[in-house]
Amino acid sequence: MTDHDSTAEVPASAEDNVYSQGPLRLRGSQVPETTADQSLLDSRGPSDWTHEDPWRVLRIQGEFVEGFDSLAKIGPAVSIFGSARDQGRTAVRDTAEPSPHLGGFQLAHARSGGPAIMAVINRTTDSFYESAATAEEAIAAVEGAVQNGAHIVDIGGVRAGRGREISSAEEIDRVCPVIEAVAHSHPDVLISVDTWRHEVAQAACTAGAGLLNDTWAGVDPELASVAAKNDVGIVCSHTGGLAPRTDAHRNRYGLSAGEVVERTLDGVIGLAEAALDAGVAAEKIIIDPTPDFGKNTYQSLRLLRELETFTDTGFRVLLAISRKDFVGEAIGDVAPGERLNGTIAATALAVAKGAAMIRTHDVRATADAIAVTLAITGDAAPKHTVRGLR
């Protein structure tokens, strides 16, 4: 801007160089420069300001700098009153503001346009990518995941693929002490247990779990009853009829993608309806197309390509795609340790297509990918917007 109608007064002290309006304090370099900007600050008395207003004012200033004529032209950006101009999207929340979620993370907080991050915590010794051989290691992994932005921690005691037999009792011994510890140390985090056994699920709920991640597609029909009894969520997945611990790449759909989308949709909806019949609340039912489980790479890729088929059902969609084989094969002959970049690309696509939950081994990278994707789609504001204001 070159023409200034008025200039806000700046304190004479060079040390402070701060402009104040009620609880709002802006440094001299951020002081609004035009009458239009100034009016945003002066239109309300000190008692009218809230802790959210400074961030909104700074964002609006940035929008004026970019050349917007008025707030009406901002589109999906948030106005000073917090409303969304683009009514086609869910109203966005400035991610620089404090979270409104009090009393722990709930499944209702995970949504299309604002996905939750589910951190993988393998309380195992033989998982395909990362394992925690002891409860202490698993608890430390949870701590790191939460610090990096995880909303949900998914604790599993048995690797998905082949390996030595793990009894229900041993699985309980592996996961429940970790769940109890996390429930006490991180009450704001939703705890998920990755199991297909109802005995383990019940013990996990008693220990503090709030979500049952059934990665083996309802092979134990009592699992849904456990979810209903304990008023917790359940993930309905699709494995193409495979039994637990089977080599998950085998499939029943031939070598091409074929009807995999329709068959997968029928599978997860059937399980969701069974969960409803068992008494699980609809808002606590998650569906997971489950790429790689009972599917080849072409089929897994097609599921992501047509993800709207699942998000359009009204159920929240979980995508568990972290470092999976279809990602590695899309790149080449790439081992799990080299699949992060490909996973992030798939994650951004899934978020843009409406996934409500992303299960990941790499929480920080996933959080960054989600932040950028939502800023591009307009579902969330950038977290720090000072470019062009200095």
Side-chain angles (χ1 to χ4, degrees):
M1 285 180 275
T2 57
D3 295 326
H4 298 171
D5 297 318
S6 65
T7 303
E9 292 184 10
V10 179
S13 170
E15 180 179 352
D16 291 332
N17 197 29
V18 169
Y19 170 84
S20 295
Q21 169 67 50
L24 177 64
R25 295 174 63 81
L26 301 177
R27 296 209 169 272
S29 61
Q30 300 170 331
V31 171
E33 297 179 320
T34 69
T35 301
D37 290 338
Q38 186 65 54
S39 67
L40 293 173
L41 298 177
D42 293 339
S43 59
R44 289 185 284 177
S47 62
D48 296 326
W49 289 92
T50 71
H51 66 280
E52 299 175 348
D53 291 317
W55 297 107
R56 289 178 175 151
V57 170
L58 288 177
R59 185 168 67 254
I60 290 169
Q61 287 175 225
E63 289 159 355
F64 273 107
V65 169
E66 292 297 324
F68 287 108
D69 295 326
S70 68
L71 289 176
K73 295 184 179 180
I74 291 176
V78 178
S79 78
I80 195 167
F81 302 106
S83 61
R85 295 289 173 174
D86 182 355
Q87 297 302 317
R89 294 187 181 274
T90 302
V92 299
R93 178 180 64 84
D94 184 357
T95 51
E97 297 170 7
S99 171
H101 303 156
L102 301 176
F105 187 86
Q106 305 294 322
L107 285 174
H109 298 150
R111 59 179 177 80
S112 175
I117 298 174
M118 172 190 277
V120 180
I121 308 295
N122 290 323
R123 174 58 187 90
T124 57
T125 59
D126 57 353
S127 292
F128 88 102
Y129 177 61
E130 287 181 337
S131 297
T134 67
E136 291 73 19
E137 291 179 12
I139 292 169
V142 168
E143 188 67 33
V146 172
Q147 289 180 0
N148 284 323
H151 307 95
I152 307 167
V153 291
D154 189 38
I155 301 168
V158 183
R159 69 163 292 171
R162 293 183 180 182
R164 78 169 179 85
E165 176 66 22
I166 305 294
S167 67
S168 295
E170 184 175 358
E171 187 179 357
I172 289 170
D173 287 343
R174 285 183 171 189
V175 301
C176 285
V178 179
I179 293 172
E180 285 187 16
V182 174
H184 283 90
S185 62
H186 295 288
D188 291 339
V189 174
L190 178 63
I191 302 172
S192 169
V193 61
D194 181 351
T195 189
W196 73 91
R197 294 163 164 158
H198 76 274
E199 304 94 337
V200 178
Q202 180 56 60
C205 289
T206 301
L211 178 63
L212 308 181
N213 184 14
D214 178 14
T215 55
W216 288 104
V219 68
D220 182 345
E222 293 186 50
L223 202 71
S225 296
V226 172
K229 175 184 175 182
N230 292 277
D231 193 26
V232 301
I234 189 169
V235 176
C236 300
S237 62
H238 179 271
T239 60
L242 297 181
R245 312 293 307 277
T246 306
D247 281 346
H249 64 279
R250 300 297 179 190
N251 73 86
R252 301 179 179 184
Y253 312 108
L255 295 178
S256 64
E259 75 278 15
V260 67
V261 175
E262 180 180 352
R263 295 278 292 274
T264 301
L265 182 64
D266 288 346
V268 295
I269 293 300
L271 289 173
E273 291 173 346
L276 287 170
D277 291 341
V280 181
E283 64 271 15
K284 293 189 176 182
I285 297 174
I286 314 297
I287 59 174
D288 177 6
T290 328
D292 272 10
F293 277 55
K295 306 165 187 75
N296 64 28
T297 290
Y298 290 106
Q299 293 157 357
S300 295
L301 293 170
R302 182 158 179 174
L303 288 175
L304 263 74
R305 191 179 309 135
E306 300 186 27
L307 192 63
E308 292 92 343
T309 302
F310 299 88
T311 60
D312 286 347
T313 64
F315 291 108
R316 292 177 177 83
V317 174
L318 165 67
L319 254 292
I321 53 179
S322 183
R323 297 180 181 266
K324 283 193 169 180
D325 286 348
F326 82 92
V327 173
E329 292 194 353
I331 303 168
D333 185 9
V334 177
E338 302 300 320
R339 296 173 184 172
L340 175 58
N341 293 343
T343 295
I344 293 304
T347 296
L349 177 69
V351 170
K353 286 180 173 286
M357 299 166 64
I358 300 292
R359 186 175 185 269
T360 181
H361 298 91
D362 307 280
V363 174
R364 177 59 185 272
T366 300
D368 289 349
I370 290 174
V372 173
T373 303
L374 297 183
I376 292 171
T377 62
D379 288 298
K383 295 183 178 182
H384 184 65
T385 51
V386 299
R387 179 176 175 79
L389 297 179
R390 297 175 180 175

